[in-house]
Amino acid sequence: MRRHRGNMLIDLLVSTFVALLVGAGLVALYFTSTRMQTLYLGQTNVDAQVRQALNIMVDSIGDATAYQTSSSPTQFSSLQAATSNSVTCYTSTAGAYTKYWFDSANSQLKKTTSTNVTTIMVRNITGLTLTYYKTSGSYNDTAANWVTTTNPNAPTNAELKLIGSVKIAATVTINGLTRQFVTLVRMRNSPS
């Protein structure tokens, strides 16, 4: 009988140890699942923020106003300035403008208006590249007739009036995960 009691004690210890291992495994699975869900929701939130900011930028560039930049000869342009990581588009015929630019020091996409108001549109931007396409000067040029400017990421002042579309490529990195968003904007009021 004494020997039988010893077997029950060993069985109880073994079953307790197995139950602890299974419980620890379930707890680890729960925490891993919760952490992955939090990361996924965080990434989805960032994706939504980036898309919203890019949509605002796309709408502003697409709807840029043709502003008279020269009276002799009469010339119009929808863009005031353009570089590889910033673009300034006119928002009124009076010369008001909005500049969208990449602040690489702070990993932010920012917007500055002609009234010198700067706002952060989105954080965690690790890269922004703008590529400019010009037309032959005809408003109704098909996309097949578009070519990049002499320097695809920095048009000359003479090319600004011919810009018909802008390709925007934004890179976002959060929690070690990198995503790239690319869109092409057709400008409605350019070229003149």
Side-chain angles (χ1 to χ4, degrees):
M1 193 140 196
R2 186 195 232 182
R3 190 172 178 183
H4 193 23
R5 276 190 258 162
N7 284 342
M8 285 180 54
L9 180 60
I10 291 173
D11 289 345
L12 181 62
L13 288 173
V14 168
S15 62
T16 302
F17 180 71
V18 169
L20 285 174
L21 283 177
V22 169
L26 289 173
V27 168
L29 179 64
Y30 171 77
F31 282 117
T32 301
S33 174
T34 303
R35 185 179 64 205
M36 293 305 291
Q37 182 179 11
T38 302
L39 285 173
Y40 176 74
L41 290 175
Q43 186 64 41
T44 302
N45 186 34
V46 169
D47 287 355
Q49 290 174 9
V50 171
R51 287 184 181 154
Q52 181 182 14
L54 290 178
N55 283 341
I56 291 168
M57 185 176 172
V58 164
D59 288 345
S60 185
I61 293 170
D63 290 335
T65 302
Y67 175 72
Q68 186 173 350
T69 57
S70 173
S71 58
S72 182
T74 303
Q75 293 183 344
F76 292 87
S77 178
S78 296
L79 298 181
Q80 182 187 61
T83 67
S84 64
N85 57 17
S86 74
V87 61
T88 305
C89 50
Y90 289 107
T91 57
S92 78
T93 56
Y97 62 84
T98 300
K99 176 182 180 180
Y100 296 93
W101 55 285
F102 173 52
D103 178 359
S104 60
N106 296 307
S107 299
Q108 299 170 342
L109 176 62
K110 293 184 175 181
K111 170 180 147 180
T112 303
T113 64
S114 53
T115 57
N116 290 323
V117 175
T118 298
T119 56
I120 299 169
M121 296 183 67
V122 70
R123 300 175 196 283
N124 300 313
I125 297 285
T126 54
L128 179 70
T129 304
L130 304 170
T131 306
Y132 302 93
Y133 296 88
K134 62 183 178 178
T135 68
S136 63
S138 170
Y139 180 76
N140 291 320
D141 261 353
T142 61
N145 292 332
W146 297 351
V147 294
T148 59
T149 55
T150 306
N151 176 344
N153 306 112
T156 64
N157 285 337
E159 291 174 316
L160 283 177
K161 66 182 180 178
L162 299 174
I163 303 296
S165 64
V166 180
K167 178 181 167 186
I168 303 168
T171 305
V172 180
T173 302
I174 186 142
N175 296 327
L177 183 61
T178 300
R179 299 236 178 143
Q180 187 169 32
F181 299 84
V182 179
T183 188
L184 183 68
V185 184
R186 167 80 189 246
M187 299 177 66
R188 291 178 184 90
N189 294 313
S190 185
S192 59

